[in-house]
Amino acid sequence: MNFVGSHILSVDQFSRSDIARIFETADTMLVYAERQRITRILEGAILSNMFFEPSTRTRVSFGSAFNLLGGEVRETTEVRASSLTKGESLEDTARVLSGYSDVIVMRHPQEGSVAEFAAASRVPVINGGDGSNEHPSQALLDLYTIRKEIRTRGAGVDGLRIALVGDLKYGRAVHSLCKLLALYDNIHFSLVAPPGLSAPPAVVSLLEAKGHKVTIHHELERGIHHVDIVYVTRTQEERFASQDEADRYRGLFQLNQAVYTANCEPNTVIMHPLPRDSRSEAQELASDLDANPNLAIFRQADNGVLVRMALFALVLDVADRVDEFSKPVPWHSHR
Ligand code: NCD
């Protein structure tokens, strides 16, 4: 795809070579993310970071990524604090905000809302998550992490064995990640969900149509045998019709060190898009795994900054000139 000036709405937009381009660019961002150097390449540019749904990592890492490239960030964090509560349409909001910014990141609870917003925007819009539909930047950072983690073992993405665990019905990160992985060859997907939270049939048929092996499990232990990656997700409680319905799924699957040791191959990498639900009744990823070196969740979150910097640099057409506008860090860095 031509990244320059494009909206990033769905992983369907990417080919394998586009992904390679994003990841090469992300690699070049490490010196800035690690504060070895500063770049001002986006000096004068403004990001509108519009989050109409809760977010910590996605919002702050998009904002930090833009700041690290030298740009300024304006933010809305609640629907309540925006004019959408006064009945303003997404189209009008887009027309107005695109007059104030050079790029917009948007998260919204409705599926398709970010595309609707983008259609009325004069500047590129990046989807920060639209309902349970897609979360393209999360899938990119997940795949970037998978590559990095398994490369140290001499493996590549083709032939990967991955277990996706938890709420596969409403988890937009999983939906985007499955579609992205489907571009590679010969992947074994172990889809591990309680009955009622299975992956959407459209996702499963896409994987099968592309020739990947898909096995379905309703029980955690069997589903995580013989995989390179266990990708655990939170029950997306906010998407259920009622809290009572959501409560039925809480705590059904709990990956902890004992379950890991008994069922996973040694060195299986553990991932989670975060936040993990650490309430005692939930615990889909127990904190006794924190000492396990294969727990990649914080490396995964760190990678989000690199991938988001890459997306901004590509969309705003500065990916090859970031270093020209750079200098050493004058202040003490703890990194
Ligand atoms: C995910 C999301 O919002 O879809 N979180 C994130 O962006 N890192 C997953 C989740 O909320 O469970």
Side-chain angles (χ1 to χ4, degrees):
M1 69 176 278
N2 177 14
F3 286 98
V4 180
S6 293
H7 303 305
I8 307 286
L9 300 174
S10 161
V11 294
D12 293 341
Q13 293 170 254
F14 304 132
S15 65
R16 277 178 74 148
S17 65
D18 296 329
I19 295 167
R21 174 94 174 104
I22 296 168
F23 291 173
E24 276 160 25
T25 309
D27 288 341
T28 68
M29 299 300 175
L30 190 63
V31 286
Y32 304 107
E34 288 192 338
R35 317 296 197 271
Q36 291 166 29
R37 292 186 70 76
I38 291 172
T39 178
R40 308 313 298 162
I41 185 83
L42 289 187
E43 187 163 22
I46 297 176
L47 161 68
S48 286
N49 218 12
M50 298 290 115
F51 279 73
F52 300 122
E53 229 190 18
S55 173
T56 303
R57 268 148 296 271
T58 308
R59 179 172 58 82
V60 178
S61 69
F62 265 121
S64 297
F66 208 74
N67 287 150
L68 285 166
L69 290 166
E72 305 275 348
V73 182
R74 289 285 168 272
E75 225 163 46
T76 290
T77 50
E78 284 189 274
V79 183
R80 267 204 315 271
S82 81
S83 285
L84 291 173
T85 47
K86 299 181 186 170
E88 186 171 50
S89 67
L90 282 172
E91 285 80 0
D92 281 3
T93 311
R95 282 189 201 110
V96 171
L97 286 177
S98 52
Y100 300 161
S101 17
D102 300 281
V103 57
I104 299 171
V105 175
M106 187 177 175
R107 170 173 286 188
H108 192 283
Q110 263 162 27
E111 297 195 8
S113 54
V114 183
E116 195 186 316
F117 179 93
S121 170
R122 282 166 285 149
V123 299
V125 175
I126 302 179
N127 183 359
D130 62 322
S132 49
N133 183 34
E134 279 237 28
H135 194 348
S137 66
Q138 180 69 45
L140 287 167
L141 79 89
D142 290 341
L143 181 55
Y144 185 78
T145 304
I146 290 171
R147 263 173 84 250
K148 248 190 186 165
E149 297 287 326
I150 62 174
R151 194 163 46 200
T152 57
R153 298 146 197 219
V157 179
D158 292 322
L160 182 80
R161 302 165 304 161
I162 182 168
L164 296 151
V165 177
D167 183 352
L168 308 186
K169 179 178 180 186
Y170 295 116
R172 56 191 169 200
V174 166
H175 302 161
S176 291
L177 181 58
C178 282
K179 291 203 273 177
L180 208 53
L181 284 169
L183 293 171
Y184 294 79
D185 295 328
N186 195 26
I187 312 256
H188 179 192
F189 292 88
S190 173
L191 303 181
V192 190
L197 295 186
S198 299
V203 170
V204 178
S205 33
L206 172 92
L207 302 179
E208 287 173 340
K210 295 254 166 92
H212 300 293
K213 184 173 165 199
V214 179
T215 47
I216 309 271
H217 296 274
H218 295 304
E219 185 218 342
L220 176 64
E221 287 74 7
R222 300 258 324 266
I224 58 177
H225 290 174
H226 312 305
V227 293
D228 306 298
I229 309 278
V230 180
Y231 186 101
V232 180
T233 63
R234 177 182 68 88
T235 305
Q236 309 283 293
E237 298 195 356
E238 63 278 28
R239 310 268 177 242
F240 288 76
S242 69
Q243 188 58 45
D244 277 357
E245 198 195 335
D247 287 346
R248 274 192 258 140
Y249 295 99
R250 192 177 287 173
L252 279 188
F253 292 168
Q254 296 186 333
L255 183 63
N256 56 32
Q257 186 59 51
V259 173
Y260 178 91
T261 308
N263 296 283
C264 291
E265 290 179 359
N267 296 327
T268 299
V269 177
I270 307 161
M271 295 176 60
H272 191 303
L274 299 179
R276 55 177 159 170
D277 189 340
S278 295
R279 288 172 287 189
S280 55
E281 335 78 81
Q283 301 268 349
E284 74 265 4
L285 198 59
S287 55
D288 70 352
L289 286 161
D290 289 7
N292 185 327
N294 297 301
L295 185 78
I297 57 176
F298 299 115
R299 297 191 288 275
Q300 183 183 356
D302 283 350
N303 289 335
V305 172
L306 306 178
V307 167
R308 289 172 175 135
M309 288 177 82
L311 289 177
F312 288 133
L314 288 163
V315 164
L316 297 175
D317 199 17
V318 294
D320 300 323
R321 288 180 299 138
V322 174
D323 296 344
E324 272 175 49
F325 291 78
S326 75
K327 57 184 182 188
V329 176
W331 34 271
H332 173 74
S333 165
H334 303 285
R335 287 154 199 273

